[in-house]
Amino acid sequence: MTAQSHPAASAAWTAGSPAETPGLPALWDPLVREFLAERELLDQVVERFATPVHLIFPQVFERNLGRLTGVLDASGVPYRICYAHKVNRSAAFVRTAAARGISVDVASPGELESARRAGFGPERIEVTGPKGERFLRELVGTGVTVSIDNQWELETLARLAAPAAPVPVLLRISGFPGSQVSRFGIPVDQVEHAFAVLAGHRDRLIFRGPAFHLDTGDIAERIRAAETCFALLERAYDRDLLPAVLNIGGGLRQVFTADAGRFDDYVHRLREGLAGRGPRMSWGTNTFGYQVDGAAVRGIPVFHKYANTVAAETMLAELLAAPLDGHGGRGLARVAADNLLELWLEPGKALTDHAGITLARVEFVKTAADGSVLVHLDLSRDTVTPADQEVMADPLLLAGSLPAPPDDPVPVFLAGRLCLERDLVAAHTVWLPWRPRPGDLIVFPNTAGYHMDLSAAPAAMHTPAQKVAIDVRDGRFRATPDAGYRPATPDTGSASPEVP
Ligand SMILES: *Cc1c(COP(=O)(O)O)cnc(C)c1O
């Protein structure tokens, strides 16, 4: 079963983004492509679960995991991968992570409960993020590792913990040289005080090591953070603390675009439109984070991450090999291994990259006063958009009950539910291969990483999109409600051989 054996696949593909128009061609995973080409199953899923619907591909998650572990194994450093649960509420993902033996990073009592239900024991659970006293009380005595956000949290835990069950802790550090100020973590210059608390409560707190998580894709910034942590480790050893972990967080990037050249060309035209030098390609007063000052368009747009072309495993390999000046030019992985440290990672979006798509139905199409064509979908912006970003990857238009008409590309904006003027699903122009008809389907690519859940709000009381896990077993696609999904184990019949 390959993409080539389904002629419909390639036809649908070119239709996603007409070649002769400005476009943002999306990368589609081969497994997702094959699924979409099996129209019968797709129609059954839509019939059974209605639209909008999120489709989860746990086997793509497993493949992403395999790529990261491949790089880590090759580097020789002992490591632990903690799946950052907050990237998606899906039970299928967290169960897959549990079944594959990795650890989990949870940031709330709800995520902790979800991880436990998925089968994670305390030794494989790390709790991150700022925590109130109530949550800290819940954690004490359970054996989970607590990544400390601040001095108050550390002192509170020292007070609550009992010598019979000391709490394993990491210290989340922030305020690294050259990094932006962070609302999370203990600033580097306040760490001495935290070490004093740890040294004074050895019977109650077990210091496992420093942690950081940076909200950027920058390798150099991570290297500076790691070097700072190595220096802090020396100071911890001086106090007879025995840390054995360096946690370098998440932030490995996703790849959304299939064509960086066309992406750049689109963004160039978008800016020309904002500057008044070309056709306008944005709805209303939207500037996507650019500062528009007459003919000058400056700044970094909110959607810059959609331009990334460096895969997570490539970024990880680069990071692990990057030479540390203070350590004779040895790479990060080598220095960690030489210091007998276990390297911890907390990938979220890198594990869910391409492991989900979202389907919506066209309800109607209308023309606005300025002639813009608005395609109204049965979902809201927050169902496919993380926070304040604009999603810059073209969706796929599939014919509904009517056959697909001949190609006649049309520029549209995608509208949907919710009620504010700015609640467009796509406020930038999207060229679709034909003017959509009610009942046609729109497929949003690569939505598993934050797009599905980060912003989704029940504000207008629409029924939330269901999640359905799609996997391949015995060579066939299978659809299971996400909550009921169980990963295949070698005993129950492995799905892996059929997965490309
Ligand atoms: C959100 C988060 C992550 C995951 O980040 P990704 O960019 O999705 O890899 C990891 N660690 C912490 C502490 C986080 O808050």
Side-chain angles (χ1 to χ4, degrees):
M1 206 168 59
T2 66
Q4 285 87 323
S5 63
H6 299 284
S10 50
W13 253 252
T14 50
S17 186
E20 66 277 21
T21 60
L24 298 161
L27 196 59
W28 293 85
D29 186 87
L31 190 73
V32 173
R33 239 185 230 229
E34 278 185 38
F35 170 76
L36 288 172
E38 293 202 6
R39 233 356 247 279
E40 212 174 309
L41 182 58
L42 177 73
D43 288 338
Q44 280 169 19
V45 167
V46 168
E47 171 80 14
R48 181 166 158 215
F49 298 97
T51 52
V53 62
H54 296 302
L55 304 186
I56 299 283
F57 292 83
Q59 289 163 335
V60 176
F61 180 102
E62 291 187 46
R63 192 206 49 209
N64 292 337
L65 175 61
R67 288 178 178 168
L68 298 187
T69 57
V71 169
L72 285 157
D73 288 340
S75 81
V77 70
Y79 65 89
R80 170 183 291 219
I81 291 181
C82 305
Y83 163 54
H85 196 323
K86 79 161 186 288
V87 70
N88 197 301
R89 287 198 296 256
S90 161
F93 286 149
V94 73
R95 285 192 182 128
T96 300
R100 295 299 163 249
I102 62 171
S103 297
V104 67
D105 156 7
V106 298
S108 71
E111 288 182 5
L112 177 59
E113 181 53 29
S114 161
R116 283 180 173 143
R117 276 201 313 268
F120 284 99
E123 71 292 342
R124 284 203 288 150
I125 299 178
E126 180 205 358
V127 185
T128 61
K131 309 148 203 81
E133 178 161 343
R134 187 165 164 176
F135 193 19
L136 290 174
R137 280 184 188 278
E138 234 179 87
L139 299 176
V140 164
T142 61
V144 303
T145 295
V146 181
S147 179
I148 297 286
D149 174 74
N150 59 72
Q151 189 69 25
W152 171 86
E153 214 172 278
L154 185 64
E155 285 166 14
T156 305
L157 261 194
R159 181 163 54 76
L160 295 174
V167 178
V169 298
L170 298 162
L171 287 188
R172 177 153 174 194
I173 315 293
S174 62
F176 299 106
S179 286
Q180 291 225 329
V181 65
S182 172
R183 59 167 284 221
F184 301 109
I186 298 176
V188 177
D189 59 7
Q190 297 172 25
V191 171
E192 226 32 77
H193 191 50
F195 282 167
V197 174
L198 290 167
H201 296 83
R202 292 166 198 279
D203 56 334
R204 287 152 197 266
L205 302 174
I206 302 166
F207 180 47
R208 301 192 78 162
F212 62 84
H213 168 67
L214 301 176
D215 197 13
T216 116
D218 194 38
I219 301 255
E221 200 178 326
R222 279 188 175 68
I223 291 299
R224 285 195 299 274
E227 290 201 297
T228 306
C229 286
F230 284 123
L232 291 178
L233 282 161
E234 295 298 326
R235 278 154 54 191
Y237 301 141
D238 290 345
R239 287 182 181 264
D240 290 328
L241 295 166
L242 299 169
V245 169
L246 171 63
N247 183 332
I248 61 171
L252 298 172
R253 308 278 293 275
Q254 297 181 264
V255 178
F256 290 90
T257 184
D259 188 334
R262 278 189 76 191
F263 187 97
D264 290 347
D265 172 68
Y266 184 99
V267 172
H268 173 74
R269 291 175 195 237
L270 182 72
R271 293 175 60 137
E272 291 294 288
L274 288 170
R277 284 191 294 264
R280 202 167 171 86
M281 285 164 51
S282 49
W283 172 259
T285 55
N286 248 287
T287 62
F288 311 106
Y290 285 121
Q291 286 117 49
V292 180
D293 178 9
V297 179
R298 275 187 287 267
I300 296 173
V302 291
F303 53 66
H304 66 278
K305 72 173 184 191
Y306 294 98
N308 177 52
T309 55
V310 181
E313 64 272 19
T314 309
M315 179 177 165
L316 178 60
E318 216 180 299
L319 177 62
L320 294 181
L324 304 191
D325 292 342
H327 295 80
R330 280 177 298 159
L332 170 57
R334 223 355 246 300
V335 176
D338 290 352
N339 283 282
L340 305 179
L341 294 170
E342 190 172 68
L343 201 62
W344 287 22
L345 295 88
E346 302 164 341
K349 56 186 186 258
L351 288 177
T352 56
D353 196 21
H354 293 286
I357 56 175
T358 302
L359 267 60
R361 206 178 271 289
V362 174
E363 293 192 306
F364 55 85
V365 178
K366 70 187 216 180
T367 307
D370 66 353
S372 303
V373 176
L374 290 164
V375 176
H376 205 276
L377 305 176
D378 62 359
L379 54 51
S380 53
R381 177 177 176 83
D382 62 15
T383 309
V384 279
T385 306
D388 53 356
Q389 310 203 354
E390 177 79 5
V391 176
M392 299 293 268
D394 286 336
L396 187 69
L397 176 63
L398 297 177
S401 47
L402 300 169
D407 276 9
D408 184 13
V410 52
V412 307
F413 296 106
L414 301 178
R417 295 169 172 175
L418 291 181
C419 47
L420 304 176
E421 281 287 3
R422 64 163 188 271
D423 288 336
L424 289 193
V425 178
H428 65 282
T429 308
V430 175
W431 268 264
L432 294 177
W434 66 82
R435 187 182 169 98
R437 294 88 35 103
D440 283 349
L441 288 168
I442 289 271
V443 188
F444 293 92
N446 204 4
T447 52
Y450 299 112
H451 291 61
M452 293 178 183
D453 294 338
L454 191 68
S455 312
M461 299 178 76
H462 288 293
T463 311
Q466 290 198 61
K467 281 193 184 139
V468 179
I470 306 289
D471 69 344
V472 182
R473 290 218 185 157
D474 304 324
R476 308 188 82 81
F477 282 106
R478 206 178 56 131
T480 320
D482 177 72
Y485 177 83
R486 295 286 182 286
T489 61
D491 309 322
T492 63
S494 171
S496 317
E498 284 80 28
V499 181

